[in-house]
Amino acid sequence: MLKYIVRRFLFMLLSLWVIITATFFLMRLAPGNPFTSEKKLPPEIEANLNAFYGLDQPWYKQYWDYITGIASWDFGPSFKYKSQTVNDLINSGFPVSLTLGLEALFIAVSFGVLLGVIAALFHNKWPDYGSMVIAVLGISVPSFIMATLLQYIFAMKLQIFPVALWESPKHTVLPALALAATPLAYIARLTRSSMLEVMANDYIKTAKSKGLSQRAITIKHAIRNAILPVVSYLGPLTASVITGSVVIEQIFGIPGLGSHFVTSIQNRDYTVIMGMTSFYSIILLVCIFLVDVAYGFIDPRIKLAGGKKGE
Amino acid sequence: MYMDQLRKDDFEIVGVKIEDTEKISQPSLSYWKDALNRFRKNKLAMVGLVILILLIFMAIFGPLISGYDYRTNDLANKNLPPSAEHWFGTDELGRDVFTRTWEGARISIFIGIAAALIDLTIGVLWGGIAGYKGGRVDEIMMRIADILYGIPYLLVVILLMVVFGQSVGTMILAMTITGWVNMARIVRGQFLLLKEQEYVLAARTLGASTRRIMAKHLVPNAMGPILVTMTLTIPSAIFTEAFLSFLGLGLNPPLASWGTMASDGLPALRFYPWRLLFPATFICLTIFAFNVIGDGLRDALDPRLRK
């Protein structure tokens, strides 16, 4: 078990190193220098700026500084907004994104599992078909279309919820729903098929012949085992919620990390793009790593020593 | 004696006839024919297939039948609602949304299929070699794949689009640069199972080359999962294209893709909802069609998985 964790941890670090390095060199390839603007800078000032940001150093020195910077949780400056650093943006934006993400995660997991269980219990009856229609729709409608749709119907036409911004809990409902829709659908499908598989097992028959109620069988015996694939899906789920929030925050005008990321892309603020990509990668990879490890603890049947990983 | 009067011919076997047990009463079905039959019975998948065929038909002929050009501005007729002249209305530059929708279909579907084909080629080669060779080669190749697999897909795509500029080519490159890993993992898993089968051993004993075994025995037998993965790659590529356009990293005007049209239509949602409605509907329909076809194929090709 420990060996497995260490191994996975090393691979996570390797993946991180690859993406941070790739980001660094890609950004050096990007056209234009960071101080390109309408006004041509006097050469002395440009030299000073270069010295200030360490751009006069050879590339390996810059690279080393960048890596050590990230290792000490310093994601670099912003070239467009001189007084801001990427850390400032993260500190102001991440709590907002985290709230939104957790809310979406909660909606997706609770309703997804509920739909899946209902579908499996009423296999091939109308609740099953109903849930699966919802699931197929959820998978087919991309999150940003879902977001605009919800915005149009519930905010503009019916005026039940605010159109945009991030001020009260009521403001969080529509964005969280939009963000949760696709993962919810996936979880519903996963739960359904895994419930069906579990329900066909002998120990469920035993439980039934012992005279246990349907409710006790479902809750105590079936769901516990059927939930495992959902747990292993939590890693990719976190990824989709985090990247999905980029667009959702843009649509609803939420001042989260995603909005900052989009702004930096539109401004071509290379150092911010670089820093944020690194930050996002760290968050994502750590989440996936934690889910993998947790999965090993929850399901003792899984053989950790063999290099077989979940899909 | 009574028994003496009985001859052998007086008896007839009523039940099983030996010669009939071996008779094949129905034409034998190959694996693919069998799968096709199962696929046909899947109503949802057939609906998806019909939608897809209609979409492709319209992508080919749609821009021709409206009588408008996708890039001609007509500022006197901007933001018109759907009408007899402009079936889907016009956008903020007076361009016909109907024509642009089907121009967009061409680009979106092209990007989807191209990305899927590239993923397929690299994935089958990489995963195939790793799975077949096994041992150290497998170890090294799959470790590389694992590292790439850990890299968040959308971040890489965004990064490459920012650095290399916005074109169809860059978009496909960005999507496939880590996208093939998924296919490689699936092919490797299949090959690991298949290469232990007796017929592979037989082929090897007969002196078949590695290339022949891979091409004639392993790939055809792994075709089911490969096909399914490919079908499911296409909607994810179409989704990614739309997603990028929403971030302002889509194709440059006057080119139209569904993503750019939807993202242009978003600010006008309150007053001219049809400008978002049409491209958004078709994005959803396409993703829906490919998804149900993919699911249908999976059920048809691997009946063991059927619930």
Side-chain angles (χ1 to χ4, degrees):
Chain A
M1 184 72 196
L2 191 69
K3 199 180 152 207
Y4 169 78
I5 294 178
V6 170
R7 209 176 125 92
R8 291 284 295 120
F9 188 73
L10 288 180
F11 268 107
M12 183 190 79
L13 288 185
L14 253 173
S15 286
L16 264 181
W17 173 75
V18 169
I19 183 142
I20 289 171
T21 308
T23 321
F24 179 82
F25 287 105
L26 277 173
M27 285 303 152
R28 291 176 63 90
L29 281 179
N33 87 6
F35 310 116
T36 316
S37 59
E38 307 89 75
K39 273 189 293 179
K40 185 87 184 76
L41 291 168
E44 302 84 34
I45 293 184
E46 200 170 327
N48 267 341
L49 277 172
N50 276 335
F52 181 72
Y53 289 117
L55 293 177
D56 53 347
Q57 311 274 4
W59 68 266
Y60 49 84
K61 180 79 173 56
Q62 289 184 36
Y63 175 65
W64 178 248
D65 287 347
Y66 187 65
I67 294 272
T68 47
I70 286 182
S72 57
W73 208 251
D74 172 13
F75 292 94
S78 159
F79 282 162
K80 294 277 154 145
Y81 303 102
K82 306 282 186 270
S83 57
Q84 248 179 353
T85 64
V86 179
N87 283 47
D88 293 339
L89 293 176
I90 291 172
N91 290 340
S92 78
F94 189 59
V96 175
S97 297
L98 189 68
T99 318
L100 177 61
L102 286 179
E103 208 171 307
L105 216 66
F106 176 74
I107 297 175
V109 172
S110 50
F111 285 91
V113 169
L114 187 70
L115 265 187
V117 169
I118 291 175
L121 288 183
F122 296 92
H123 185 39
N124 283 339
K125 298 202 188 80
W126 69 264
D128 185 15
Y129 296 129
S131 328
M132 284 309 107
V133 166
I134 295 177
V136 170
L137 284 181
I139 289 172
S140 307
V141 181
S143 54
F144 52 87
I145 292 178
M146 186 61 89
T148 47
L149 214 68
L150 290 174
Q151 202 179 33
Y152 187 69
I153 297 173
F154 292 103
M156 291 182 191
K157 290 290 156 194
L158 300 176
Q159 305 196 327
I160 304 174
F161 291 105
V163 176
L165 296 181
W166 188 258
E167 276 150 13
S168 66
K170 218 176 167 187
H171 285 81
T172 67
V173 175
L174 291 185
L177 273 180
L179 199 49
T182 309
L184 190 155
Y186 271 109
I187 291 177
R189 280 164 46 128
L190 260 180
T191 313
R192 173 177 177 270
S193 62
S194 124
M195 269 296 273
L196 287 177
E197 207 166 288
V198 168
M199 294 292 270
N201 272 333
D202 285 343
Y203 67 86
I204 298 287
K205 269 183 212 141
T206 313
K208 228 178 253 174
S209 49
K210 277 198 303 191
L212 287 185
S213 68
Q214 180 70 43
R215 178 201 293 238
I217 295 173
T218 314
I219 295 175
K220 289 221 170 127
H221 297 262
I223 293 184
R224 273 198 186 179
N225 285 296
I227 209 88
L228 286 170
V230 178
V231 174
S232 70
Y233 177 65
L234 281 180
L237 170 67
T238 329
S240 93
V241 165
I242 290 178
T243 42
S245 76
V246 172
V247 187
I248 303 288
E249 285 175 18
Q250 173 87 341
I251 291 172
F252 286 98
I254 298 166
L257 202 55
S259 306
H260 294 323
F261 191 48
V262 177
T263 316
S264 72
I265 289 171
Q266 279 156 1
N267 286 338
R268 295 292 190 271
D269 195 344
Y270 291 124
T271 43
V272 176
I273 301 179
M274 223 157 97
M276 287 229 181
T277 312
S278 309
F279 179 73
Y280 270 131
S281 319
I282 292 175
I283 297 289
L284 279 176
L285 289 177
V286 168
C287 284
I288 292 175
F289 170 72
L290 290 179
V291 168
D292 271 12
V293 172
Y295 192 66
F297 279 111
I298 296 169
D299 189 356
R301 286 171 305 185
I302 187 177
K303 248 219 216 130
L304 295 174
K308 195 181 166 296
K309 290 201 305 177
E311 283 297 301
Chain B
M1 282 283 290
Y2 182 68
M3 282 293 275
D4 296 339
Q5 294 162 6
L6 292 175
R7 290 191 314 268
K8 212 179 176 187
D9 329 350
D10 289 345
F11 292 92
E12 191 190 345
I13 300 173
V14 192
V16 183
K17 283 185 194 157
I18 301 293
E19 54 269 31
D20 277 4
T21 56
E22 297 290 307
K23 204 169 124 191
I24 294 160
S25 56
Q26 295 218 313
S28 85
L29 288 175
S30 72
Y31 169 68
W32 290 103
K33 274 189 199 148
D34 208 24
L36 187 67
N37 279 344
R38 275 195 296 269
F39 185 77
R40 278 211 197 111
K41 280 193 198 121
N42 188 335
K43 280 183 206 122
L44 202 55
M46 287 312 282
V47 170
L49 193 64
V50 171
I51 292 177
L52 186 64
I53 290 170
L54 284 177
L55 281 170
I56 290 175
F57 179 83
M58 286 307 286
I60 297 170
F61 298 105
L64 307 173
I65 55 179
S66 67
Y68 293 97
D69 178 48
Y70 77 95
R71 55 200 299 172
T72 311
N73 300 345
D74 179 6
L75 293 175
N77 288 318
K78 59 181 185 183
N79 291 325
L80 291 179
S83 65
E85 284 101 77
H86 296 281
W87 295 334
F88 288 0
T90 59
D91 68 3
E92 83 277 20
L93 294 172
R95 296 174 294 198
D96 184 49
V97 174
F98 182 81
T99 319
R100 285 179 71 74
T101 300
W102 300 117
E103 276 294 329
R106 290 181 181 182
I107 292 182
S108 293
I109 295 177
F110 172 75
I111 289 177
I113 293 178
L117 283 179
I118 296 174
D119 279 357
L120 171 84
T121 319
I122 306 177
V124 168
L125 282 177
W126 191 278
I129 292 172
Y132 186 75
K133 292 275 182 195
R136 172 145 292 192
V137 178
D138 178 37
E139 182 75 12
I140 293 170
M141 287 178 94
M142 287 331 278
R143 286 311 143 246
I144 295 175
D146 276 352
I147 291 167
L148 287 178
Y149 189 71
I151 296 174
Y153 175 71
L154 277 170
L155 287 181
V156 177
V157 177
I158 291 173
L159 218 58
L160 288 174
M161 294 300 290
V162 169
V163 176
F164 293 117
Q166 292 140 246
S167 69
V168 176
T170 324
M171 209 175 254
I172 295 173
L173 172 83
M175 286 177 192
T176 48
I177 204 158
T178 60
W180 59 269
V181 177
N182 197 23
M183 178 66 89
R185 288 164 68 107
I186 284 165
V187 173
R188 172 180 172 266
Q190 285 291 313
F191 274 31
L192 279 181
L193 290 177
L194 292 173
K195 73 172 181 184
E196 304 298 334
Q197 307 274 320
E198 277 85 358
Y199 59 83
V200 175
L201 184 66
R204 204 177 301 146
T205 344
L206 287 170
S209 67
T210 303
R211 181 182 297 193
R212 189 182 158 83
I213 292 178
M214 295 243 289
K216 293 273 170 188
H217 297 283
L218 297 179
V219 172
N221 279 299
M223 211 57 211
I226 292 176
L227 210 60
V228 172
T229 313
M230 215 182 110
T231 324
L232 296 175
T233 311
I234 298 174
S236 103
I238 291 175
F239 165 79
T240 309
E241 184 276 320
F243 181 89
L244 288 174
S245 304
F246 243 78
L247 292 183
L249 288 172
L251 302 174
N252 291 320
L255 280 181
S257 74
W258 286 337
T260 51
M261 290 175 69
S263 127
D264 290 345
L266 182 62
L269 179 64
R270 197 183 279 263
F271 306 108
Y272 316 116
W274 63 89
R275 282 182 40 200
L276 178 67
L277 181 75
F278 289 110
T281 311
F282 288 112
I283 294 176
C284 299
L285 269 181
T286 315
I287 295 179
F288 169 80
F290 276 111
N291 271 326
V292 292
I293 293 173
D295 286 351
L297 277 178
R298 179 171 44 211
D299 292 346
L301 294 172
D302 195 350
R304 280 167 304 171
L305 287 178
R306 207 133 91 129
K307 301 277 151 53

